[in-house]
């Protein structure tokens, strides 16, 4: 028996050694994200190793420098397949890790750090005492930590590290994840299992995942996390939950991540026993002030409050005939003594005005420009409606120069096929960031609005609704991890290229082989266009099933509030399709700066992407391609399905580069996506044909089922509601 165990142990050792050497064959469950640190190909290892001989850090490192050193040891040790030592003096090939104040050898170099701000880093190849070394430095420990991750990224992506001179500073001050996690561990619009916050066992039990979450976020520069759902339970502000949030804040602090909480505006009533939550009532203001003081006792670097007010049934200042700014400023006053901020959401669509939901946030907030306190930032969704596969940018960007505007995007794929559809959102985020608002002439991009450059704001923010859950792979699929990654990288630099980011991610997550990286990145870039084509082509939006938003339901027109109905958005009838947002319709175009308004209003310049977003057109309208609108619509749906088939073919050809576990999962998910893309196409065509009464263009296959069949489909227990 003992002999058998010994033999088994020997086999296990051999298998483990083989596993280390042949990384693509090793089983992988996605837990390691892009921080896999598997051994690099021999040539890259040989080039990098002499420049990573040892790590030299301050003798008594701060917790943040401590985690930077630990990450470098772990990362370089894995990538170079040998232990990475820590030394006390700088020998040839050493990596010096610290601020100039912490390491005199770095101070002696008089490096140009002033432009790096308090979070930037510098990687520099230098000579110290005649020895070639690498410097990882910044003005703060967290800058050094970001530098450590940047150095690892260089090595992981096969970039040389022998002649480094790489300085980088985040352009946006607050780069945060918004978790829509409830206190019972369900996640609103979450498709990756239950919440990673094990609220029940906090504050005592510290799941190791919390540290890995912090590592992953720090590796891409995310420095804030809102722990709970914007549809906030008042309970988050009870002492019990403040203690739980404080435990998480303690874990995240060394990684430069601050904790924020979503708050319920009616908390003074629900928790404090007050009769009102009127922001102008002194007792209400005093309640919030005392609550803020209590939070800061437990979490001295608490970031602030995120507020969804007077939106989708949430309480807010409007309940007392007060404005959003009056509500926000009252909370801001409670947080200001502690340097906390209020993040006030602009996602509102009360049934007012002329009934175009796309106009409502602008109508409500634009008049309040200049009325918000200094420590308030207004968080605006990328598009005027709600995280659709494609929307034009929100007209609020550029329209409120006196107010810091933050950008909110959704990383979780509520309207994009949930976790199973492969959709690389870097392309979507970049499309918004690159959009030109013309607010201050050409070049006034959304990126420049939200990073504060255009209107000279110090406070700047970008928030992503997290796609993270307790699934082993964190995000519900390996490719969804790319969306978390791309979000962080674009938050750091909103002018970065989403393709370049996808290249980095693919190399770090799967393989450096150009035979893998090129086709896989092409597939990722195509994926966003594919989903637009098979779900909502030509500027259509909000065609998803009621509540769960899974699958097509363009026929739904019986929901109590007009703007919840897909039919309200497509406006298809016997004569045509699309939402007239020009002068002859809702005139939403007028909310944009004149050059943009003109472009969107004019059929000659609006382009196919936003055609039906801004125009209601006859089915026989001639497109630029010379097809009729009807034919073009059908072709776009079919193209979307074909593009998913192309993605499947690409992935099949990638098998030899990918471990079997991750290969199989993506293969299965792509098959689901193909099936569902076909369903989207067929159901949408069946419905729109019932309106247009036109024959399918030549060569197009009729829907597999009748319209009644698609209309009858039901999805009880769909996730994320
Ligand atoms: C969407 C989503 C809701 C969410 C809301 C918000 O409407 O479906 O679940 O609460 O956005 O952003 O507040």
């Amino acid at each position: 028996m003992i002999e058998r165990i010994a033999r088994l142990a020997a086999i296990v050792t051999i298998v483990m050694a083989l596993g280390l050497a042949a990384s693509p064959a090793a089983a992988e469950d996605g837990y390691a994200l892009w921080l896999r640190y598997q051994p690099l190909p021999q040539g890259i290892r040989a080039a990098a190793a002499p420049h990573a001989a040892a790590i030299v850090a301050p003798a008594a490192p701060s917790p943040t420098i401590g985690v930077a050193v630990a990450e470098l040891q772990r990362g370089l040790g894995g990538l170079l397949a040998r232990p990475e030592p820590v030394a006390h003096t700088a020998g040839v090939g050493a990596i010096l890790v610290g601020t100039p104040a912490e390491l005199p050898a770095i101070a002696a170099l008089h490096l140009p750090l002033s432009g790096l701000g308090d979070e930037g880093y510098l990687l520099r190849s230098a000579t110290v005492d005649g020895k070639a070394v690498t410097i990882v430095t910044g003005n703060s420990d967290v800058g050094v930590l970001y530098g450590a991750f940047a150095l690892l990224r260089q090595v992981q992506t096969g970039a040389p590290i022998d002649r480094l001179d790489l300085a980088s500073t985040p352009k946006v001050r607050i780069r945060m994840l918004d978790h829509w996690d409830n206190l019972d561990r369900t996640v609103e619009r979450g498709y990756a299992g239950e919440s990673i916050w094990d609220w029940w066992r906090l504050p005592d039990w510290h799941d190791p995942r919390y540290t890995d979450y912090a590592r992953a976020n720090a590796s891409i520069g995310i420095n804030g996390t809102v722990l709970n759902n914007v549809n906030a339970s008042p309970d988050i502000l009870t002492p019990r939950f403040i203690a739980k949030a404080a435990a998480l804040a303690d874990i995240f602090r060394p990684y430069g991540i601050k904790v924020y909480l979503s708050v319920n505006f009616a908390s003074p009533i629900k928790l404090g026993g007050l009769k009102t939550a009127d922001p102008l009532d002194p007792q209400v203001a005093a309640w919030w002030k005392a609550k803020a003081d209590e939070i800061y006792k437990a979490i001295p670097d608490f970031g602030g409050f995120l507020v969804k007010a007077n939106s989708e049934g949430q309480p807010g200042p409007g309940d007392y005939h007060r404005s959003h700014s009056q509500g926000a400023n009252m909370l801001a006053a409670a947080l200001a003594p502690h340097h906390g901020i209020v993040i006030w959401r602009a996602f509102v669509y009360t049934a007012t005005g002329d009934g175009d939901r796309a106009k409502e946030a602008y109508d409500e907030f634009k008049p309040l420009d200049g009325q918000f306190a200094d420590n308030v930032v207004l968080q605006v969704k990328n598009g005027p409606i709600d995280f659709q596969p494609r929307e034009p940018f929100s007209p609020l960007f550029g329209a409120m120069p006196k107010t810091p505007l933050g950008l909110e995007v959704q990383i979780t794929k509520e309207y994009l096929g949930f976790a199973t559809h492969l959709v690389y959102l870097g392309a979507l985020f970049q499309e918004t960031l690159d959009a030109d608002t013309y607010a201050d002439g050409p070049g006034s991009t959304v990126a420049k609005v939200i990073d504060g450059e255009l209107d000279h704001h110090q406070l700047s923010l970008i928030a992503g609704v997290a796609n993270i859950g307790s699934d082993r792979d964190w995000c519900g699929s390996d490719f969804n991890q790319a969306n978390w990654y791309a979000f962080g990288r674009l938050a750091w630099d909103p002018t970065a290229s989403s393709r370049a980011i996808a290249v980095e991610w693919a190399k770090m997550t799967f393989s450096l082989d150009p035979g893998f990286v090129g086709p896989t990145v092409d597939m990722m870039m195509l994926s966003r266009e594919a989903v637009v084509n098979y779900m909502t082509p030509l500027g259509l939006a909000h065609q998803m099933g009621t509540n769960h938003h899974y699958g097509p339901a363009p026929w739904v027109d019986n929901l109590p509030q007009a703007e919840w109905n897909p039919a309200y958005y497509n406006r298809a009838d016997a004569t045509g399709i699309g939402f007239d947002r020009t002068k002859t319709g809702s005139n939403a175009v007028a909310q944009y700066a004149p050059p943009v308004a003109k472009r969107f209003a004019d059929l000659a310049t609006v382009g196919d992407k936003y055609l039906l977003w801004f125009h209601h057109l006859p089915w026989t309208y001639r497109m630029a391609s010379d097809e009729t609108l009807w034919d073009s619509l059908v072709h776009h749906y079919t193209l979307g399905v074909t593009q998913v088939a192309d993605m499947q073919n690409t992935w099949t050809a990638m098998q030899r580069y990918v471990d079997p576990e991750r290969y199989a999962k993506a293969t299965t998910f792509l098959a689901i996506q193909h099936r569902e893309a076909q369903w989207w196409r067929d159901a949408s065509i069946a419905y729109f044909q019932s309106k247009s009464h036109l024959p399918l263009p030549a060569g197009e296959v009729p829907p597999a089922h009748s319209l009644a069949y698609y209309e009858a489909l039901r999805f009880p227990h769909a996730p994320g509601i």
Side-chain angles (χ1 to χ4, degrees):
M1 183 67 180
I2 290 178
E3 217 185 67
R4 245 186 83 205
I5 292 173
R7 248 199 349 257
L8 261 178
I11 292 168
V12 169
T13 316
I14 293 167
V15 169
M16 279 172 62
L18 284 175
L20 207 69
S23 60
E28 304 228 24
D29 58 14
Y31 184 83
L33 296 161
W34 48 89
L35 303 175
R36 288 166 56 254
Y37 303 142
Q38 291 295 306
L40 291 163
Q42 178 57 39
I44 299 175
R45 258 190 273 168
H51 307 285
I55 297 164
V56 176
S62 69
T64 298
I65 297 294
V67 297
V69 171
E71 195 71 30
L72 284 167
Q73 282 197 280
R74 175 183 187 153
L76 294 170
L79 292 161
L80 305 177
R82 48 104 175 110
E84 179 71 26
V86 173
H88 294 295
T89 48
V92 175
I95 302 172
L96 278 62
V97 181
T99 62
E102 289 160 337
L103 280 183
I106 296 183
L109 293 169
H110 301 291
L111 296 168
L113 305 185
S114 57
L116 294 181
D118 51 11
E119 289 184 301
Y121 62 81
L122 174 69
L123 307 181
R124 173 74 75 90
S125 304
T127 307
V128 167
D129 294 337
K131 294 163 194 148
V133 299
T134 302
I135 308 290
V136 178
T137 193
N139 293 318
S140 66
D141 288 350
V142 78
V144 175
L145 175 63
Y146 292 146
F149 277 113
L151 180 66
L152 284 166
R153 189 159 54 237
Q154 290 283 117
V155 179
Q156 277 175 289
T157 55
I161 56 165
D162 55 339
R163 269 183 253 158
L164 283 173
D165 187 9
L166 191 65
S168 186
T169 307
K171 292 205 168 87
V172 178
R173 202 173 115 197
I174 301 170
R175 309 173 295 278
M176 65 161 40
L177 290 181
D178 289 1
H179 288 265
W180 284 2
D181 295 18
N182 297 313
L183 306 186
D184 62 1
R185 289 193 88 170
T186 55
V187 181
E188 185 156 338
R189 310 312 178 181
Y191 312 102
E194 59 182 358
S195 167
I196 52 168
W197 316 133
D198 187 352
W199 290 114
W200 192 253
R201 280 176 278 200
L202 279 165
D204 303 282
W205 166 240
H206 297 175
D207 189 326
R209 253 188 194 240
Y210 305 150
T211 307
D212 287 328
Y213 167 87
R215 288 176 52 235
N217 279 325
S219 79
I220 50 177
I222 287 172
N223 66 358
T225 178
V226 183
L227 299 177
N228 61 316
N229 192 357
V230 285
N231 296 316
S233 163
D235 292 344
I236 193 68
L237 293 182
T238 56
R240 255 182 87 224
F241 275 93
I242 291 172
K244 294 168 193 284
L248 291 172
D250 289 343
I251 296 169
F252 301 158
R253 191 165 295 114
Y255 296 87
I257 299 166
K258 282 188 184 178
V259 157
Y260 298 72
L261 295 175
S262 293
V263 298
N264 184 302
F265 201 79
S267 298
I269 302 173
K270 306 230 168 105
L271 295 183
L274 300 188
K275 292 214 163 44
T276 177
D278 181 349
L280 299 194
D281 184 304
Q283 274 188 302
V284 171
W287 187 89
W288 281 107
K289 196 182 168 315
K291 187 51 78 178
D293 295 347
E294 180 189 341
I295 295 172
Y296 278 93
K297 270 207 194 89
I299 312 174
D301 56 353
F302 178 65
F305 296 146
L306 172 64
V307 194
K308 173 174 178 176
N310 295 123
S311 164
E312 298 186 328
Q314 291 301 318
D319 303 349
Y320 310 95
H321 308 291
R322 311 295 185 201
S323 67
H324 283 281
S325 50
Q326 287 172 314
N329 293 350
M330 180 273 297
L331 294 178
L335 294 167
H338 307 282
H339 310 291
I341 64 162
V342 171
I343 304 161
W344 195 267
R345 296 178 84 228
F347 177 68
V348 296
Y349 60 98
T350 42
T352 56
D354 60 5
D356 180 357
R357 173 167 163 187
K359 292 173 65 180
E360 290 174 10
Y362 178 103
D363 285 344
E364 195 150 341
F365 281 95
K366 160 102 178 136
L368 299 178
D369 192 23
Q371 293 184 27
F372 288 96
D374 287 348
N375 58 333
V376 178
V377 54
L378 196 61
Q379 183 166 294
V380 180
K381 289 190 182 182
N382 56 289
I385 291 187
D386 197 10
F387 302 136
Q388 297 303 298
R390 172 164 274 138
E391 293 187 48
F393 67 91
S394 164
L396 278 169
F397 293 116
M400 297 184 65
K402 296 188 202 126
T403 310
L405 294 193
L407 169 66
E408 176 175 337
V409 295
Q410 208 177 39
I411 310 172
T412 190
K413 302 205 304 295
E414 172 183 354
Y415 295 98
L416 289 107
F418 298 179
T420 39
H421 290 210
L422 194 167
V423 184
Y424 174 54
L425 297 177
L428 187 161
F429 303 156
Q430 194 186 350
E431 185 171 277
T432 301
L433 290 164
D434 286 352
D436 197 342
T437 69
Y438 280 83
D440 196 15
S444 309
T445 58
V446 172
K448 282 192 193 162
V449 174
I450 63 114
D451 72 11
E453 184 186 330
L454 197 70
D455 302 307
H456 315 291
H457 293 297
Q458 292 302 310
L459 189 53
S460 56
L461 171 140
I462 174 163
V465 181
N467 63 351
I468 297 162
S470 56
D471 274 8
R472 187 65 192 156
D473 67 14
W474 299 84
C475 303
S477 92
D478 295 300
F479 276 93
N480 287 338
Q481 298 173 359
N483 295 333
W484 178 7
Y485 184 85
F487 169 76
R489 299 288 286 139
L490 282 166
W492 182 278
D493 179 5
T495 64
S497 137
S498 60
R499 175 177 281 273
I501 291 170
V503 168
E504 256 175 35
W505 176 83
K507 286 180 171 178
M508 292 161 79
T509 305
F510 286 107
S511 165
L512 286 179
D513 198 306
F516 173 82
V517 176
T520 301
V521 169
D522 286 347
M523 172 180 77
M524 291 167 72
M525 297 306 290
L526 175 72
S527 65
R528 193 308 184 85
E529 293 308 318
V531 74
V532 170
N533 286 331
Y534 64 74
M535 284 190 184
T536 51
L538 298 176
L540 290 175
H542 221 299
Q543 299 299 291
M544 295 76 189
T546 305
N547 288 338
H548 48 62
H549 299 154
Y550 169 69
W555 47 81
V556 171
D557 66 353
N558 60 354
L559 301 175
Q561 210 163 309
E563 65 267 45
W564 291 344
N565 290 296
Y568 162 94
Y569 293 98
N570 66 52
R571 310 207 153 197
D573 58 21
T575 61
I577 181 171
F579 201 126
D580 184 1
R581 293 193 164 103
T582 68
K583 269 211 295 274
T584 51
S586 77
N587 206 21
V589 288
Q591 294 183 335
Y592 291 93
V596 183
K598 195 159 169 272
R599 175 159 55 88
F600 288 153
D602 187 344
L603 280 170
T605 51
V606 63
D608 288 357
K609 283 182 188 171
Y610 303 122
L611 187 68
L612 302 179
W613 185 281
F614 289 110
H615 298 272
H616 183 86
L617 296 168
W619 294 108
T620 51
Y621 170 77
R622 282 274 150 206
M623 304 285 289
S625 62
D626 208 34
E627 311 165 282
T628 64
L629 171 57
W630 166 247
D631 285 3
S632 176
L633 187 69
V634 175
H635 285 148
H636 275 83
Y637 282 117
T638 306
L639 177 63
V641 183
T642 312
Q643 286 169 324
V644 177
D646 291 344
M647 289 161 58
Q648 288 181 290
N649 290 334
T650 302
W651 188 244
T652 303
M654 297 301 106
Q655 181 164 12
R656 64 198 178 98
Y657 302 104
V658 183
D659 50 282
E661 207 172 342
R662 290 187 298 169
Y663 175 77
K665 193 168 181 185
T667 304
T668 304
F669 283 14
L670 280 164
I672 296 172
Q673 185 173 6
H674 187 258
R675 189 176 69 222
E676 294 183 351
Q678 187 72 49
W679 165 38
W680 264 97
R681 174 211 179 260
D682 287 357
S684 305
I685 291 177
Y687 175 69
F688 291 127
Q689 194 171 29
S690 79
K691 298 287 174 188
S692 76
H693 301 291
L694 290 169
L696 292 183
E700 287 287 349
V701 179
H705 302 279
S706 68
L707 176 57
Y709 167 90
Y710 296 112
E711 288 182 350
L713 295 175
R714 292 290 175 273
F715 302 96
H717 316 300
I721 304 173

